[in-house]
Amino acid sequence: ESAALTPLGRPSRRSRPCARLRWSLTSVPRLIIDSLREDPLYGQQLPPVSDSINENACQLCKQEKLTFEPPPMYCFPCGARIRRNGPYYAYDTRDTHHSVCIPCYNKSRGHTIEVEGQMFPKARFQKKRNDEETEECWVNCERCNCWQHQICALFNDINYDVKQAYTCLYCYIEEVKRGLHVPSPQSAVLGASDLPRTALSDHIEERLFKRLKLERQARAVQSGRSFDEVAGADGLVVRVVSSVDKKVGVKPRFLETFQEDNYPTEFPYKSKAVLLFQKIDGVEVCLFGMYVQEFGAECAFPNQRRVYLSYLDSVKYLRPGIKAATGEALCTFVYHEILIGYLEYCKQRGFTSCYIWARPPLEGDNIFYCNPTIQTTRTSDKLREWCLAMIRKATKEEIVVELTNLYDHFFITTGECKAKVTASRLPYFDGDYWPGVAEDMVNQLHQEEDDQKLQKKGNAKKIIRKRALEAAGHTDLSGNASEDDMLMQKLGETIYPMEEDFIMVHLQYSCSNCRSFMSSGKRWACHQCRSFYICDKCYSAEQELEERERHPSNSRETHELHPVTS
């Protein structure tokens, strides 16, 4: 159902296997640069590239030295990232490079440092600075003897036969004109469209092409021109390039807290990578990518039928670089339609909700290692608004039925909600923010309990904690229940300041009483109250109550509930 883009076979002979290019015009093929200059949206933002003859410059980009930044470097003992140009200690063995930050080195007592369970003498560690740069490799044309950067010439030394002479693009074109070569047919060159198709990629593509056609028609009407006279986004291909079965294990301290509730030790899910390609001047360019985690019907509660959008990234190279009929950039229109198409596909498959953590990723934690200089990095507010704009479009099409956030849905109870406020109801996703924070908090709670046993005033502290829980409305103060309540209280205090970043998209209606999603069967709606729905189970319990205790609560009136078929 998928295809890997990673080439198989021997590793690259390049000296920068994981290097990251400092993205500028010099890191893009000249043909793409020239076409971008003609673009009304991007052209004014591009600095000039000198065409003056320089024997030391690349024949294509006209620049001399292209440097790469090294990949992110992390301290082995603590896992903290070693900042760029910052000092650190390093020890190289035959197979491994060990990096240690300054605080860990100074904190280590004695003459040894523990790294990954092994002890190494501190004397062997050398102080260095994280300022290494790697220069892009060159390739020489055997015909004209001109030099070009490998990245500018799209030269891949992995698949190149060292016994064969390299011919640059200019010389090859001249030889074709003289009849010395016959160009290979386009069908002989595999592209993104040749990657295997899936039901998901077909669904997104079909929707995307249909919406782009309607958008182009609207632009033609606005400009008073015909459909063929306005530019369109051509050569787009959507493919699912990875679909892998994975499992996320529950962290030990958190699992220990809910062992009496038979909380699952792990949650199986399907990890998928979806990419968008566009053929620009004969070159397949990857413009957009997202990673998703799909927890199906076979997965245990609380992850059952939920989707987590774990990574989302793009580069601003979609052609044409114009505004859509809606006033937004055409690239935004395209990326929104891909996401809406995915949500629509998930809804049709029975998934109940999708979770998005709308926070800009840390440097080096993106899908694309670098962005062009014409593309600014979104702040948290702009990224969140970008996601909300997409969700508003999906809501108009009734793909999304409700929008809330993690805090409002799981940490507070309003109106007639009878759902228990407990960490065991929170969806547990791989790499998500709260599981790691919760594990640290549980460790902290256990450490406090251990400290209390060693202090004479331990009982007084325990009484203070129980009083705080009672004041918050918690009645069950037994061991694990008390720990769960304290965890939710601490976790809520941490999440609340950034609650709007933890977006929760409802693809199905949730019960206003028990907060469970109603993916099948009837739901009961109140026509007098906005967005009040309850499931069959809660409706049956409602009918057994006395009339004054029925919906709406704390009111002398009684509202009639009507069945709605999902």
Side-chain angles (χ1 to χ4, degrees):
E1 193 183 349
S2 63
L5 293 181
T6 305
L8 302 177
R10 61 190 174 86
S12 171
R13 298 195 302 269
R14 295 171 295 178
S15 60
R16 50 175 207 296
C18 297
R20 178 173 58 164
L21 182 65
R22 262 187 210 152
W23 200 273
S24 64
L25 293 184
T26 57
S27 64
V28 185
R30 184 65 182 269
L31 290 175
I32 298 181
I33 295 174
D34 292 340
S35 62
L36 282 172
R37 291 189 185 283
E38 301 172 3
D39 193 286
L41 186 63
Y42 301 149
Q44 297 179 355
Q45 305 179 53
L46 301 181
V49 177
S50 173
D51 289 325
S52 60
I53 299 176
N54 183 348
E55 293 182 354
N56 296 324
C58 169
Q59 187 186 21
L60 295 175
C61 72
K62 311 301 182 185
Q63 305 295 312
E64 295 186 21
K65 183 179 179 181
L66 293 185
T67 57
F68 286 78
E69 291 185 4
M73 185 180 297
Y74 298 91
C75 172
F76 275 77
C78 70
R81 183 169 179 173
I82 298 173
R83 63 182 176 85
R84 182 72 175 143
N85 295 318
Y88 72 100
Y89 284 89
Y91 170 57
D92 295 326
T93 61
R94 180 179 299 179
D95 303 319
T96 312
H97 174 78
H98 299 291
S99 304
V100 178
C101 66
I102 298 297
C104 286
Y105 184 88
N106 295 334
K107 188 169 58 177
S108 178
R109 298 177 180 178
H111 301 286
T112 58
I113 297 179
E114 183 178 354
V115 178
E116 294 185 321
Q118 300 182 22
M119 303 303 295
F120 295 93
K122 292 180 69 173
R124 294 186 181 180
F125 283 81
Q126 295 181 347
K127 192 172 184 178
K128 295 185 177 181
R129 188 169 293 276
N130 185 20
D131 58 357
E132 295 182 9
E133 290 184 343
T134 305
E135 185 177 351
E136 166 66 6
C137 298
W138 295 75
V139 61
N140 177 244
C141 175
E142 296 289 338
R143 301 287 192 274
C144 65
N145 205 33
C146 289
W147 288 86
Q148 300 169 354
H149 295 122
Q150 289 188 7
I151 195 170
C152 297
L154 300 179
F155 177 85
N156 188 348
D157 61 357
I158 298 178
N159 301 320
Y160 190 74
D161 187 358
V162 293
K163 297 180 181 179
Q164 183 180 357
Y166 168 72
T167 304
C168 72
L169 177 65
Y170 297 115
C171 292
Y172 181 78
I173 292 175
E174 287 298 323
E175 291 178 356
V176 169
K177 290 179 179 178
R178 286 155 43 196
L180 300 178
H181 291 292
V182 178
S184 301
Q186 287 293 325
S187 58
V189 181
L190 298 179
S193 59
D194 298 300
L195 292 170
R197 295 163 50 186
T198 66
L200 173 57
S201 65
D202 286 349
H203 179 90
I204 295 177
E205 267 194 354
E206 182 179 350
R207 176 191 171 87
L208 177 62
F209 296 159
K210 180 180 178 180
R211 299 290 294 178
L212 279 173
K213 183 178 180 180
L214 294 174
E215 187 279 330
R216 189 174 177 182
Q217 290 173 345
R219 248 186 311 120
V221 172
Q222 289 178 359
S223 61
R225 294 183 291 175
S226 66
F227 180 85
D228 294 331
E229 289 177 324
V230 296
D234 301 322
L236 298 178
V237 176
V238 178
R239 287 294 183 268
V240 179
V241 297
S242 175
S243 182
V244 184
D245 290 320
K246 290 188 175 182
K247 294 179 181 179
V248 52
V250 180
K251 298 183 183 297
R253 285 292 195 179
F254 185 86
L255 183 62
E256 183 182 333
T257 304
F258 299 100
Q259 58 183 351
E260 296 178 0
D261 300 332
N262 295 322
Y263 194 86
T265 58
E266 60 185 16
F267 296 99
Y269 68 94
K270 180 81 73 175
S271 173
K272 292 183 179 179
V274 182
L275 300 180
L276 171 70
F277 300 89
Q278 185 179 35
K279 199 166 190 176
I280 303 177
D281 296 320
V283 179
E284 299 278 2
V285 182
C286 184
L287 305 173
F288 172 89
M290 66 177 182
Y291 278 82
V292 294
Q293 300 174 16
E294 298 178 352
F295 297 82
E298 74 286 350
C299 186
F301 183 83
N303 283 25
Q304 190 178 69
R305 295 182 181 272
R306 301 181 192 263
V307 176
Y308 179 51
L309 182 57
S310 55
Y311 282 96
L312 185 69
D313 201 4
S314 65
V315 287
K316 199 174 182 179
Y317 281 140
L318 185 128
R319 303 298 314 280
I322 59 178
K323 290 188 179 296
T326 55
E328 62 193 343
L330 186 62
C331 60
T332 298
F333 178 87
V334 170
Y335 303 155
H336 277 181
E337 287 302 323
I338 292 175
L339 285 168
I340 295 172
Y342 176 71
L343 292 178
E344 184 180 39
Y345 181 79
C346 290
K347 184 184 181 78
Q348 293 175 359
R349 290 186 57 202
F351 288 99
T352 60
S353 55
C354 176
Y355 299 79
I356 305 172
W357 185 20
R359 295 282 285 186
L362 299 174
E363 185 180 352
D365 198 26
N366 303 49
I367 297 177
F368 299 103
Y369 251 36
C370 42
N371 292 328
T373 54
I374 58 176
Q375 179 175 339
T376 57
T377 302
R378 287 190 179 95
T379 62
S380 179
D381 292 341
K382 289 186 177 180
L383 178 59
R384 181 174 62 250
E385 180 53 36
W386 189 91
C387 294
L388 293 177
M390 178 273 297
I391 295 170
R392 286 192 290 269
K393 296 178 184 178
T395 303
K396 288 182 179 179
E397 298 185 38
E398 298 184 349
I399 296 172
V400 174
V401 299
E402 187 181 354
L403 170 65
T404 182
N405 59 67
L406 192 76
Y407 182 83
D408 289 344
H409 192 80
F410 292 104
F411 286 82
I412 59 176
T413 57
T414 57
E416 299 176 46
C417 177
K418 301 179 177 64
K420 182 182 179 183
V421 178
T422 170
S424 62
R425 292 184 60 243
L426 295 172
Y428 201 101
F429 300 133
D430 198 356
D432 197 10
Y433 172 78
W434 79 262
V437 174
E439 187 72 5
D440 293 338
M441 289 179 176
V442 174
N443 282 328
Q444 183 181 357
L445 291 173
H446 280 262
Q447 184 63 44
E448 290 176 0
E449 290 180 0
D450 293 340
D451 292 343
Q452 288 175 10
K453 295 176 182 179
L454 301 177
Q455 296 176 2
K456 294 181 180 180
K457 297 182 180 180
N459 292 333
K461 290 187 177 182
K462 204 166 188 178
I463 292 173
I464 293 174
R465 177 187 291 181
K466 288 190 175 183
R467 285 177 179 173
L469 292 174
E470 288 174 350
H474 302 291
T475 55
D476 185 2
L477 301 181
S478 58
N480 288 345
S482 175
E483 189 171 299
D484 181 19
D485 294 335
M486 288 297 298
L487 174 60
M488 285 298 284
Q489 184 176 333
K490 286 179 172 289
L491 198 57
E493 292 172 354
T494 302
I495 290 179
Y496 178 71
M498 48 183 176
E499 59 174 333
E500 295 181 353
D501 294 335
F502 295 93
I503 299 173
M504 183 175 174
V505 178
H506 293 219
L507 303 177
Q508 311 290 345
Y509 289 94
S510 63
C511 177
S512 299
N513 282 1
C514 66
R515 291 284 173 89
S516 61
F517 286 96
M518 298 171 282
S519 56
S520 61
K522 291 181 181 179
R523 69 177 187 272
W524 298 81
C526 176
H527 293 170
Q528 296 171 258
C529 299
R530 184 188 175 194
S531 301
F532 182 87
Y533 305 97
I534 60 174
C535 61
D536 265 330
K537 184 179 179 180
C538 289
Y539 176 77
S540 299
E542 178 92 2
Q543 299 308 302
E544 296 177 1
L545 298 175
E546 295 184 13
E547 198 165 305
R548 59 185 176 84
E549 296 178 345
R550 296 182 184 179
H551 171 74
S553 60
N554 301 324
S555 175
R556 295 181 180 179
E557 299 179 357
T558 301
H559 294 178
E560 186 177 354
L561 299 177
H562 303 271
V564 181
T565 303
S566 299

